[in-house]
Amino acid sequence: MIESKQNKRVKQWKKLHRKKYRDQTEAFLIEGWHLVEEAIKSDWTIQTLIMVEDRERPEVWSHMDTIYVSQDVFKELSQTETPQGIMAVVRQNKLEFKPKYNKILLVDAVQDPGNIGTMIRSALAFDIDVIVLGKGSVDLYHDKVIRATQGAMFHIPIIQDDLELWINYCQQNEIMVYGTALDKGAKSLNQVDIQDKFAVMVGNEGHGVSSDYLEKADETVYIPIHEQSESLNVGVATSIVLYHFSLLT
Amino acid sequence: MIESKQNKRVKQWKKLHRKKYRDQTEAFLIEGWHLVEEAIKSDWTIQTLIMVEDRERPEVWSHMDTIYVSQDVFKELSQTETPQGIMAVVRQNKLEFKPKYNKILLVDAVQDPGNIGTMIRSALAFDIDVIVLGKGSVDLYHDKVIRATQGAMFHIPIIQDDLELWINYCQQNEIMVYGTALDKGAKSLNQVDIQDKFAVMVGNEGHGVSSDYLEKADETVYIPIHEQSESLNVGVATSIVLYHFSLLT
């Protein structure tokens, strides 16, 4: 059992709270029973289970590399208010582009971890094949993103990549690209007639989808809302579009 | 200008961060330009503007009771990471039941401030007449709720009340009550045929709508989701139902 916060492994784990170090090691930390269970059920690779001294590892996980740590060490690593005594170091999944991706969510510079988490959860719920997080979006492996996905991230392909490449890919493969906008010059969501293959682009909390990308969209859609309402939360708006499209395909 | 954190008014304002004191004084604090602007545009009553020493009050607000405070005092009161130097004390709106309420959102014990904020924003967007926050829901005047509404709370009636009274009211007034559930024995949202008058009941993040209330619903609906998906965020689920109903009425 590790009892010292100065222990080399403890220091390495703690560094996983920083993006730079996550990128270098291609690993990240998850915390709490539910997330760890979801990761184990998935095809992601768990490198190490970290458990607090008094917790027992479930029998079915006995094959896993497990390290016990003291309460103090666990608290040092934890990023939650009421730690559950379990964490895992998980290897990042480096996915690539697959021709089977026909329902695509393109995310442009969404910065709030809760919003990204919501989008991932809803994309899984509404049968999206792949999510692409473009430049300027918060890191997928940020602890608040992971928590907000509630484990959904382990069950749907997610790629951090240049959106432009994906827009081009869609255009070359007869995948209709729908931009979302507040602009009422756009088409109302309930009038959109969609295809089996589609990509939905959603954008930053303040500015929406960048105009460079919007220009390349085959169609721009908006969600009709009450005049006194300024806008919807971007996680909500994305979810509504994906729900709507899921009914049509 | 107030420069001391020990000033009596400063102490009173600070106490508004606590529900108990908000209830006693029937007032609450809002922070930031956007929220203050939205409150001023609305029919809510601003009691006092609080501005940091170097900020200038817009000419159009010159009739308002304004108190300047030092940077230090403002920081003491602020609940944001990057304070904008403007706050207001607002009087709570005590609304009652009106027969004109035909589209009702009933919220049962939703505890996350961000979720309540999202629901309020979406309810305004999708033309709901009134939102009722039942027992066990987070306080409407919690600073995180207020921030998450992005000002929408000032433009839609919101009442903190006993849901049972409202369910009874709906039943006596031919307003169909729809409960939401994960239960696939319920009716799929896209098969629901709704009326002009409806109430939607949504529930707690963990347990959903309490069974006592669900039993009283005229109909129970669920949102069809992918089998690997456990559930949607409750703010998202509420927004999807309200969006869907807004298309039908």
Side-chain angles (χ1 to χ4, degrees):
Chain A
M1 188 177 77
I2 301 177
E3 291 184 326
S4 164
K5 295 179 191 170
Q6 301 310 315
N7 179 288
K8 204 180 146 201
R9 296 198 73 169
V10 173
K11 284 183 169 175
Q12 281 168 345
W13 293 332
K14 216 181 148 188
K15 281 201 245 172
L16 291 174
H17 296 328
R18 300 207 307 268
K19 182 177 187 308
K20 189 181 157 192
Y21 194 71
R22 289 194 296 266
D23 288 349
Q24 274 171 25
T25 57
E26 300 194 355
F28 62 106
L29 268 183
I30 59 174
E31 184 175 349
W33 283 97
H34 182 65
L35 280 174
V36 172
E37 277 163 5
E38 290 299 311
I40 291 177
K41 273 199 287 182
S42 75
D43 58 3
W44 291 59
T45 306
I46 313 288
Q47 294 180 330
T48 313
L49 269 186
I50 304 167
M51 299 195 69
V52 84
E53 42 187 334
D54 57 353
R55 289 298 143 82
E56 218 163 308
R57 180 178 60 183
E59 191 58 33
V60 286
W61 297 354
S62 58
H63 61 290
M64 303 189 75
D65 180 27
T66 307
I67 295 177
Y68 281 87
V69 302
S70 66
Q71 293 278 5
D72 266 10
V73 167
F74 198 91
K75 259 190 208 146
E76 180 76 8
L77 293 170
S78 172
Q79 294 188 293
T80 60
E81 279 176 34
T82 49
Q84 295 175 4
I86 184 164
M87 274 187 206
V89 181
V90 184
R91 197 167 74 205
Q92 296 186 10
N93 256 1
K94 297 289 174 189
L95 298 174
E96 288 185 359
F97 219 53
K98 286 181 197 153
K100 68 171 186 184
Y101 293 145
N102 290 327
K103 297 179 183 180
I104 300 170
L105 176 63
L106 303 174
V107 180
D108 178 28
V110 170
Q111 288 170 335
D112 179 80
N115 286 341
I116 293 277
T118 296
M119 288 175 181
I120 292 172
R121 212 170 150 188
S122 296
L124 175 64
F126 298 125
D127 260 333
I128 292 299
D129 295 328
V130 64
I131 301 166
V132 187
L133 304 178
K135 282 174 204 151
S137 290
V138 65
D139 183 35
L140 170 61
Y141 303 109
H142 186 297
D143 67 293
K144 287 186 185 164
V145 173
I146 295 170
R147 242 177 296 149
T149 70
Q150 301 231 342
M153 65 178 286
F154 297 117
H155 305 296
I156 181 170
I158 307 172
I159 303 180
Q160 309 198 72
D161 203 355
D162 185 342
L163 294 189
E164 188 138 0
L165 297 177
W166 283 77
I167 298 171
N168 293 342
Y169 164 76
C170 291
Q171 287 173 335
Q172 287 152 16
N173 290 277
E174 291 174 11
I175 298 175
M176 279 278 281
V177 178
Y178 296 89
T180 53
L182 277 175
D183 175 14
K184 299 207 173 172
K187 206 165 186 177
S188 175
L189 179 60
N190 54 329
Q191 282 161 8
V192 172
D193 197 20
I194 73 151
Q195 317 294 319
D196 280 355
K197 297 179 173 190
F198 63 82
V200 175
M201 269 194 297
V202 299
N204 176 270
E205 287 84 355
H207 325 110
V209 179
S210 80
S211 54
D212 286 356
Y213 296 148
L214 266 193
E215 276 168 21
K216 297 190 177 185
D218 293 298
E219 196 144 51
T220 312
V221 300
Y222 80 95
I223 299 170
I225 55 177
H226 189 276
E227 56 189 13
Q228 271 217 297
S229 164
E230 292 184 339
S231 64
L232 295 164
N233 165 284
V234 67
V236 166
T238 304
S239 304
I240 289 174
V241 173
L242 298 185
Y243 161 73
H244 195 91
F245 280 19
S246 79
L247 295 183
L248 300 175
T249 54
Chain B
M1 186 178 78
I2 301 178
E3 293 183 329
S4 165
K5 295 177 191 172
Q6 302 309 317
N7 179 288
K8 203 179 144 201
R9 297 198 71 169
V10 173
K11 284 182 171 178
Q12 282 169 344
W13 293 331
K14 218 183 148 188
K15 282 201 247 171
L16 291 174
H17 296 327
R18 299 207 307 267
K19 180 174 188 312
K20 190 180 156 191
Y21 195 72
R22 290 194 297 266
D23 288 349
Q24 274 172 27
T25 56
E26 300 194 355
F28 61 105
L29 267 184
I30 59 175
E31 183 173 350
W33 283 98
H34 182 64
L35 279 173
V36 172
E37 277 165 5
E38 291 298 311
I40 291 177
K41 272 198 288 182
S42 76
D43 57 4
W44 291 59
T45 307
I46 313 288
Q47 294 179 332
T48 312
L49 269 186
I50 304 166
M51 298 195 69
V52 84
E53 44 189 331
D54 56 355
R55 291 296 143 83
E56 217 164 307
R57 180 176 61 183
E59 190 58 34
V60 286
W61 297 353
S62 58
H63 61 289
M64 304 189 75
D65 181 26
T66 307
I67 296 177
Y68 281 86
V69 302
S70 66
Q71 294 277 5
D72 266 7
V73 167
F74 198 90
K75 259 189 211 147
E76 180 76 8
L77 293 169
S78 172
Q79 295 187 291
T80 59
E81 278 176 35
T82 49
Q84 295 175 3
I86 184 164
M87 273 186 208
V89 181
V90 184
R91 196 165 74 207
Q92 295 186 9
N93 255 1
K94 296 289 173 190
L95 297 175
E96 287 182 1
F97 215 57
K98 286 181 194 155
K100 68 171 186 184
Y101 294 144
N102 291 327
K103 296 177 184 180
I104 301 171
L105 177 62
L106 303 174
V107 180
D108 178 28
V110 170
Q111 290 171 334
D112 178 81
N115 286 340
I116 293 277
T118 296
M119 288 175 180
I120 293 172
R121 211 170 150 189
S122 295
L124 174 65
F126 297 125
D127 258 334
I128 293 299
D129 294 329
V130 64
I131 301 166
V132 187
L133 303 179
K135 282 174 203 151
S137 289
V138 64
D139 184 36
L140 172 61
Y141 302 110
H142 187 298
D143 67 293
K144 285 185 187 169
V145 173
I146 297 171
R147 242 177 296 148
T149 71
Q150 300 231 345
M153 66 178 285
F154 297 118
H155 305 298
I156 181 169
I158 306 172
I159 303 181
Q160 310 197 72
D161 203 354
D162 185 342
L163 294 189
E164 187 138 1
L165 297 177
W166 283 76
I167 296 171
N168 293 341
Y169 163 78
C170 290
Q171 287 174 335
Q172 286 153 17
N173 289 276
E174 293 174 10
I175 297 174
M176 281 278 280
V177 178
Y178 297 90
T180 53
L182 277 176
D183 175 15
K184 299 206 171 174
K187 206 165 186 176
S188 174
L189 179 60
N190 54 328
Q191 281 160 6
V192 172
D193 197 20
I194 73 151
Q195 317 294 321
D196 280 356
K197 298 178 173 190
F198 64 82
V200 175
M201 270 195 296
V202 299
N204 175 271
E205 287 85 355
H207 325 112
V209 178
S210 78
S211 54
D212 287 356
Y213 297 148
L214 265 193
E215 276 167 21
K216 298 191 175 184
D218 294 297
E219 197 144 51
T220 312
V221 300
Y222 79 95
I223 300 171
I225 56 178
H226 189 276
E227 54 188 17
Q228 272 219 294
S229 163
E230 293 184 340
S231 65
L232 295 163
N233 165 285
V234 66
V236 165
T238 304
S239 303
I240 288 175
V241 174
L242 299 184
Y243 160 74
H244 195 91
F245 281 18
S246 80
L247 295 183
L248 299 175
T249 54

